[in-house]
Amino acid sequence: MEKTELLSGTLDLLILRVLKSGPVHGFGIGEKIHVLSKEILEVEEGSLYPSLYRMEAKGWIKSDWGQSEKGRRAKIYSLTKNGIRQLDDERESWLRVAFAIGEVLKNA
Amino acid sequence: MEKTELLSGTLDLLILRVLKSGPVHGFGIGEKIHVLSKEILEVEEGSLYPSLYRMEAKGWIKSDWGQSEKGRRAKIYSLTKNGIRQLDDERESWLRVAFAIGEVLKNA
DNA sequence: CTTAATTACCTAGATTATCTAGGTAAAATA
DNA sequence: TATTTTACCTAGATAATCTAGGTAATTAAG
């Protein structure tokens, strides 16, 4: 069983992407990233929550207290209009850089 | 003209990849990454040299004083056997994570 | 001939993202 | 009743990268 990993600088993008499919609570965002990534990516809570606060402070996401699908008290996050724009920017930036790295790695 | 960028955590991989094609001096490594990446990636010298020292200390690369193609005094770096193994590991890890991020981004 | 630009290396300190390793509390399960 | 799971929170450590300087030699420009 290989170690799950996370690439520094991509966490915000992943969170924003998950929220684009609809509001999710913090804990659930981490789970969704894990599942969607085929168990390759693992987001530590110590990274997840601080990232959520940063992005809320920047106005990319907003939160409301509510309930998780399991009926527990949970803080539900959703994308703002600025968050949608930020997601588009970060996705494009990711694609550019991933392409560029691919170019350097070519024939490695 | 868009800002050049670098993805945190991939610098070692890029340097190792450049050195796989043959010995290059530090300054030249930065230039090669820039060119190979189609001008998308830019490595700051303040990131480049510390990364070279770290990797030399770990035994992934070695250095000898010599000359650049322009005939200037330069420190020439080359891959060690451990460096080749490290390159393979990091490339595989990059491919895994890039794939995983692609999965999360799907249909974004 | 003098000045500016380029090549090439170096580094201290700041910034910032992520992780470690704890913690609380409520609900569900054993 | 005890343990596990869900869910949130956070202080401090770690580590990579960047900022912003610096030196020195060679080449190009004025």
Side-chain angles (χ1 to χ4, degrees):
Chain A
M1 188 59 177
E2 292 179 63
K3 198 183 82 216
T4 51
E5 24 202 344
L6 187 59
L7 193 59
S8 206
T10 60
L11 179 55
D12 289 2
L13 169 61
L14 296 170
I15 293 172
L16 292 171
R17 169 63 189 94
V18 165
L19 292 181
K20 204 200 171 192
S21 299
V24 189
H25 64 294
F27 195 84
I29 293 171
E31 291 180 319
K32 279 201 201 290
I33 290 174
H34 187 64
V35 171
L36 288 171
S37 72
K38 309 259 158 68
E39 274 78 44
I40 294 171
L41 304 177
E42 182 95 51
V43 182
E44 301 299 328
E45 292 180 52
S47 310
L48 176 65
Y49 293 113
S51 172
L52 289 170
Y53 305 148
R54 282 195 302 270
M55 293 201 288
E56 187 168 22
K58 286 173 178 162
W60 300 341
I61 61 180
K62 64 185 182 61
S63 65
D64 296 283
W65 284 100
Q67 297 200 5
S68 70
E69 322 85 54
K70 280 150 188 157
R72 302 286 189 85
R73 163 190 162 280
K75 208 191 240 180
I76 311 293
Y77 286 93
S78 48
L79 268 190
T80 64
K81 214 162 284 182
N82 281 343
I84 294 171
R85 193 171 333 121
Q86 182 65 19
L87 168 57
D88 289 340
D89 288 353
E90 291 200 20
R91 188 188 50 203
E92 198 171 308
S93 175
W94 158 259
L95 291 174
R96 266 173 62 79
V97 173
F99 163 79
I101 292 175
E103 287 296 305
V104 178
L105 290 187
K106 239 185 212 171
N107 319 315
Chain B
M1 188 60 180
E2 289 180 66
K3 198 182 84 219
T4 51
E5 23 200 346
L6 187 60
L7 194 58
S8 207
T10 61
L11 179 54
D12 289 3
L13 169 61
L14 296 171
I15 292 173
L16 292 171
R17 169 64 189 94
V18 165
L19 291 181
K20 205 203 172 193
S21 299
V24 190
H25 65 294
F27 195 83
I29 294 171
E31 290 179 320
K32 278 201 203 292
I33 290 174
H34 187 63
V35 171
L36 288 170
S37 72
K38 308 262 157 67
E39 276 76 44
I40 293 170
L41 305 178
E42 183 95 51
V43 183
E44 301 298 329
E45 292 180 52
S47 309
L48 176 64
Y49 293 112
S51 172
L52 289 170
Y53 306 147
R54 282 195 303 268
M55 294 202 286
E56 188 168 20
K58 285 173 178 163
W60 300 341
I61 61 180
K62 64 185 182 61
S63 65
D64 295 285
W65 283 100
Q67 297 200 3
S68 70
E69 321 86 52
K70 280 151 189 155
R72 300 288 187 85
R73 162 189 162 279
K75 208 191 238 178
I76 311 293
Y77 286 92
S78 48
L79 267 190
T80 64
K81 214 162 280 182
N82 281 344
I84 293 171
R85 193 171 333 120
Q86 182 65 20
L87 169 57
D88 289 340
D89 289 354
E90 291 200 20
R91 189 188 47 203
E92 197 172 308
S93 175
W94 158 258
L95 291 173
R96 266 173 61 81
V97 173
F99 163 78
I101 292 175
E103 288 296 305
V104 177
L105 290 188
K106 240 184 213 171
N107 320 315

